[in-house]
C-alpha cells in the first residue's frame, strides 16, 4: 500500500482535497478548497472535484466523501444535499470526471470516523466506538476495533417524535438560539438513546462545534466516555484517502 493518498471531502459549502500521509494522518502540502457549485448537482460537483485533483497534480487513487448513504457505490439518500444525487452511480460519475484511476466514495461521517479512530484519541481504537459529527445534520459512524459498519445514519433516529438531527445538530442550536447548556441537554437525550440501543465503549464527537468542546462535552450525561475529535476538519479528507488506499468502497 502506498503511504501517500488523496482525499476529497464534499460538503454543502466547500469541496476540499489534500494529499494525505497515510502513516500519520497528516496532510502533505496545502489543502485545496473550491466553493461547492450551486446547484450542487452531481455533474457540477464532480467537475469541481476533478479541478481539485488537476490543481494538486495528483495521478493516483482518489477517495471522496458525500453526505449521503452510499451502497454499492450508488448514492441512496440526500438529506442535506441536492436531491438529484439519489440513485446516482457515484463511481461511474467520478470515474468519468477523474479518469482512469481507483476511486472510492463513502459517506462523510463514515470517512471522518475511520480517520478519527485511526489517528485521534487511542481510546477509540479498541472495542466499539460511536463517532458523531454535529453540523447541519448529525452524521454517525459505528466502528469496532477500527472496522466500519457503514451507513448507520443515526442522525435520523426519531426520539419522542423528533428526529435526532432536528433536535440536536449544531444547526438546531443556532436555529433555536440555544445556550451550550440547553443544547447539551438535547445532545444528552440523543446520546442516551444511542447508548440504550448500541452501548458503545466510547463516543467520539466531531464537527465544527467540537472546537468548543469544553463548553458542552463535560455537561453530557451518559455512561460511556465522550471524547472530542482531534482531526477536526481534516478527518473527512484523511478518511477518504484511507478508504481508497484500503480498497474500501461501500
Ligand atoms: C446525512 C448523513 C450525513 C450527515 C452529516 C445527515 O443528514 O443523512 O448521510 O453523514 O448528515 O453530513
Amino acid at each position: 500500500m502506498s503511504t501517500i493518498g488523496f482525499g476529497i471531502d464534499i460538503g454543502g459549502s466547500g469541496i476540499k482535497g489534500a494529499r494525505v500521509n497515510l502513516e500519520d494522518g497528516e496532510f502533505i502540502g496545502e489543502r485545496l478548497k473550491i466553493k461547492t457549485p450551486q446547484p450542487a448537482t452531481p455533474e457540477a460537483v464532480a467537475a469541481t472535484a476533478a479541478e481539485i485533483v488537476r490543481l494538486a497534480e495528483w495521478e493516483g487513487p482518489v477517495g471522496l466523501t458525500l453526505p449521503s448513504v452510499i451502497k454499492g457505490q450508488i448514492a441512496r439518500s440526500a438529506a442535506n444535499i441536492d436531491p438529484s444525487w439519489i440513485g446516482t452511480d457515484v463511481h461511474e460519475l467520478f470515474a468519468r470526471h477523474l479518469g482512469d484511476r481507483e476511486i472510492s466514495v463513502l459517506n462523510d461521517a463514515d470517512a471522518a470516523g475511520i480517520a478519527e479512530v485511526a489517528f485521534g484519541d487511542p481510546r477509540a481504537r479498541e472495542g466499539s466506538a460511536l463517532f458523531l459529527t454535529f453540523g447541519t445534520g448529525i452524521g454517525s459512524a459505528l466502528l469496532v476495533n477500527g472496522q466500519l459498519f457503514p451507513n448507520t445514519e443515526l442522525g435520523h433516529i426519531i426520539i419522542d417524535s423528533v428526529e435526532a438531527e432536528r433536535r440536536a445538530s449544531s444547526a438546531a442550536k443556532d436555529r433555536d438560539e440555544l445556550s451550550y447548556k440547553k443544547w447539551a441537554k438535547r445532545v444528552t437525550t440523543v446520546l442516551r438513546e444511542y447508548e440504550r440501543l448500541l452501548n458503545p465503549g466510547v463516543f467520539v464527537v466531531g464537527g465544527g462545534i467540537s472546537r468548543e468542546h469544553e463548553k458542552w462535552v463535560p455537561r453530557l450525561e451518559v455512561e460511556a466516555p465522550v471524547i472530542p475529535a482531534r482531526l477536526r476538519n481534516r478527518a473527512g479528507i484523511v478518511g477518504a484517502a484511507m478508504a481508497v488506499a484500503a480498497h474500501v468502497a461501500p
Side-chain angles (χ1 to χ4, degrees):
M1 181 167 114
S2 164
T3 56
I4 302 175
F6 198 90
I8 297 187
D9 197 16
I10 298 172
S13 56
I15 300 180
K16 294 149 265 172
R19 275 184 173 70
V20 174
N21 180 339
L22 298 168
E23 284 177 346
D24 62 7
E26 298 289 337
F27 288 165
I28 297 171
E30 58 169 347
R31 186 190 72 154
L32 297 160
K33 179 175 176 181
I34 299 180
K35 266 195 189 156
T36 306
Q38 297 302 335
T41 57
E43 292 297 332
V45 165
T48 306
E51 178 66 5
I52 288 180
V53 171
R54 195 187 63 75
L55 290 170
E57 299 178 358
W58 174 256
E59 286 174 3
V62 175
L64 302 110
T65 76
L66 277 174
S68 170
V69 169
I70 308 291
K71 263 182 105 177
Q73 297 291 282
I74 310 279
R76 294 289 180 198
S77 69
N80 294 308
I81 52 165
D82 198 90
S84 61
W85 282 91
I86 297 178
T88 298
D89 180 335
V90 289
H91 189 271
E92 183 279 327
L93 171 77
F94 288 108
R96 194 156 32 77
H97 285 264
L98 297 176
D100 187 22
R101 64 176 88 221
E102 192 175 354
I103 286 165
S104 65
V105 185
L106 74 166
N107 173 265
D108 56 354
D110 281 346
I114 55 178
E116 280 294 344
V117 166
F119 300 114
D121 192 307
R123 282 176 289 171
R125 224 156 284 165
E126 277 170 33
S128 57
L130 178 53
F131 169 79
L132 298 167
T133 163
F134 293 84
T136 312
I138 297 179
S140 61
L142 193 57
L143 298 115
V144 184
N145 298 325
Q147 293 293 312
L148 176 69
F149 181 116
N151 292 314
T152 48
E153 292 292 316
L154 297 178
H156 300 293
I157 238 172
I158 311 281
I159 307 163
D160 295 337
S161 315
V162 184
E163 192 181 40
E165 72 175 29
R166 177 150 183 85
R167 182 192 298 265
S169 61
S170 70
K173 178 181 181 297
D174 297 342
R175 182 196 66 218
D176 296 341
E177 297 175 7
L178 302 176
S179 63
Y180 275 101
K181 189 173 169 193
K182 288 207 166 128
W183 180 66
K185 281 209 167 121
R186 292 194 186 185
V187 178
T188 292
T189 302
V190 168
L191 263 57
R192 279 201 178 147
E193 185 68 2
Y194 294 160
E195 191 152 62
R196 190 174 76 80
L197 298 171
L198 298 166
N199 294 290
V202 293
F203 289 101
V204 183
V205 291
I209 202 158
S210 68
R211 242 172 260 139
E212 309 266 18
H213 59 87
E214 69 291 341
K215 296 187 179 151
W216 57 280
V217 170
R219 297 180 189 273
L220 300 174
E221 294 170 32
V222 282
E223 299 276 323
V226 182
I227 304 170
R230 287 190 183 167
L231 277 73
R232 308 270 165 78
N233 58 8
R234 223 165 11 106
I237 294 176
V238 173
M242 288 169 68
V244 71
H247 314 288
V248 171

